[in-house]
Amino acid sequence: MDVLGIDYTRFTDSDRNAVVQAFPRTGPFQRRYPARPSTTASNHKPETTFGNVKADVLADKDPGFHRGNFCGVIR
């Protein structure tokens, strides 16, 4: 739930506030998160970023398919 918001609605406002109090976010978390360490780990070997096979097949076969974007979900 922290980064992608998965199951966000399953938690009460009180639960979410308790998490933020225990683990506060400083600065522009959503803007900074994808940049470190994810990007630097791949910069020197971009071939390891090969995509999800299912998404690749859908992108190839279904002209209406829209691939999700991890960074976009976070933002």
Side-chain angles (χ1 to χ4, degrees):
M1 183 183 88
D2 185 38
V3 175
L4 297 178
I6 296 169
D7 288 336
Y8 182 83
T9 57
R10 280 190 36 217
F11 296 87
T12 66
D13 287 342
S14 158
D15 290 336
R16 291 189 292 266
N17 290 333
V19 170
V20 171
Q21 287 293 330
F23 305 98
R25 296 288 179 242
T26 56
F29 176 75
Q30 288 87 352
R31 240 187 8 251
R32 285 184 326 181
Y33 177 78
R36 299 251 327 142
S38 306
T39 346
T40 54
S42 305
N43 285 349
H44 68 284
K45 49 182 183 168
E47 67 280 359
T48 63
T49 64
F50 185 74
N52 176 296
V53 172
K54 293 176 187 176
D56 290 344
V57 170
L58 278 172
D60 187 64
K61 303 298 179 197
D62 181 354
F65 174 69
H66 176 71
R67 184 184 302 264
N69 180 292
F70 177 75
C71 295
V73 170
I74 292 171
R75 288 189 192 103

